């Protein structure tokens, strides 16, 4: 080989000690998902392929609680859902009102601005949520084409009530776009009943699957805007083209890009598990195990970042990091001593809180007990 060529590198075998996954995601898989990831490569164009897509779309209609036809999954992490929802529904020069209380709505602002969309921002302190009065008066003031809001926010550990928000948005001619990445499956969410126009989620949270595929759904109003829009979103995120690939209308088996078979099988398997458990049982399991976790923390006098119980998210808890503690040292101790993964705060909770997910297959009282005991031990052990 000449001196100009690149020699083959040594790619070693690597070991990874799997901790108990109790951060804000990624979550542990359903055991059946591990098997599903090894299912055969499914090739485009055959009936088997479209049957899998149909199964996924039916499962997604159930988890989003929507009868809309325009339901599919983006090839990409949750961010691809965010970008698809924003870029298909708000044109450059139009206005997106962003209700901001954490890190994910900040991402929405960045994405929108890069697309040439104007953003208006309304905020609340990051350990609280919005009143409908505040959101309505901002809609009245800014008259946006759409409002973006995060339902469950993993950076703050809050859950936003949005039950009446669809009607309020529609009164001012705005579409309602909702991030359910860390909340879907763990918290009741009713797309049609609440008048949500576009929603995206991700599979590595309460779905208990791998990251890399992002469910999205659009209402009839959103579909109308997509079908009549004058702007072209990027090719990869174009929902009109993807709707044809996913055969949303039953007669459009058109190639767009190559979908990832293991991700399709994994998502389909998560949906089968969720259907088996049923949503109400899953919502109740998340609510009771997280409430139990909070009670255990209270017994240890460990404080939470979100003061009002009704504003606390049932999947991810933001636990106050006591004064003088280093979040990385805390993270490392939890991992090394207890083999439990919890994560540092992000955005407004960086350096202030530790984020704990009692979520997906790990939403159980046994896991809550283990994590509460390990947190208490770590606080004691790392006292300066
Ligand atoms: C990522 O999704 C996080 O919540 O940190």
């Amino acid at each position: 080989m000449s001196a100009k060529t690149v020699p083959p590198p040594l790619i070693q075998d690597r070991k990874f000690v799997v901790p108990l996954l109790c951060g804000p995601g990624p979550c542990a898989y359903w055991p059946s998902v591990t098997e599903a990831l090894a299912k055969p490569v499914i090739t485009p164009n055959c009936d088997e392929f479209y049957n899998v897509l149909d199964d996924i779309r039916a499962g997604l209609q159930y988890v989003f609680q929507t009868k809309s036809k325009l339901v599919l999954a983006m090839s990409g992490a949750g961010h691809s859902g965010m970008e698809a929802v924003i870029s298909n529904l708000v044109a450059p020069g139009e206005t997106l009102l962003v209700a901001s209380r954490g890190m994910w709505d900040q991402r929405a602002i960045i994405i929108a601005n890069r697309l040439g969309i104007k953003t208006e921002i309304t905020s609340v302190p990051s350990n609280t949520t919005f009143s409908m009065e505040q959101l309505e008066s901002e809609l009245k003031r800014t008259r946006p084409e759409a409002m973006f809001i995060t339902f469950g926010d993993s950076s703050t550990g809050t859950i936003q009530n949005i039950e009446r928000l669809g009607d309020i948005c529609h009164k001012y001619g705005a579409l309602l776009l909702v991030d359910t990445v860390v909340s879907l499956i763990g918290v009741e969410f009713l797309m049609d009943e609440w008048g949500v126009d576009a929603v995206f989620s991700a599979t590595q949270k309460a779905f208990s699957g791998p990251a890399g595929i992002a469910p999205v759904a659009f209402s009839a109003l959103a579909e109308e805007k997509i079908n009549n829009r004058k702007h072209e979103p990027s090719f990869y995120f174009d929902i009109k083209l993807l709707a044809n690939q996913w055969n949303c209308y039953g007669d459009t088996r058109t190639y767009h890009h190559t979908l990832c078979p293991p991700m399709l099988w994994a998502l389909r398997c998560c949906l089968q598990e969720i259907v088996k458990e049923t949503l109400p049982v899953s919502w109740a399991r998340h609510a009771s195990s997280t409430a139990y976790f909070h009670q255990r923390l209270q017994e240890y006098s460990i404080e939470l970042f979100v003061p009002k119980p009704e504003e606390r998210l049932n999947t991810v808890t933001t636990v106050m990091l006591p004064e003088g503690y280093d979040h990385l040292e805390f993270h490392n101790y939890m991992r090394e001593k207890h083999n439990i993964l919890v994560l540092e705060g992000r955005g407004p909770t960086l350096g202030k809180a530790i984020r704990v997910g009692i979520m997906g297959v790990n939403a159980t009282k046994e896991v809550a007990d283990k994590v509460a005991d390990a947190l208490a031990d770590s606080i004691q052990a790392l006292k300066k």
Side-chain angles (χ1 to χ4, degrees), residues 24-25 104 154-155 181-182 204-205 343-344 346 355:
W104 310 113
S154 70
S155 68
V181 167
V182 83
Q204 76 277 21
K205 310 277 183 180
L343 279 187
E344 75 281 8
R346 272 209 214 295
R355 297 179 305 145

Side-chain angles (χ1 to χ4, degrees), residues 103-122:
M103 161 143 179
W104 310 113
D105 39 69
Q106 291 297 318
R107 286 288 163 90
I109 294 167
I110 294 170
I111 288 175
N113 288 338
R114 285 185 177 209
L115 292 165
I117 294 166
K118 289 188 236 155
T119 47
E120 292 279 353
I121 299 158
T122 181

Side-chain angles (χ1 to χ4, degrees), residues 4 15 36 38 64 149 153 167 229 257 310 337 359:
K4 285 191 183 153
K15 291 215 166 31
F64 283 130
I149 198 157
D153 187 307
D167 285 349
R229 67 175 181 223
H257 69 279
E310 68 277 16
K337 173 79 193 301
M359 176 163 59

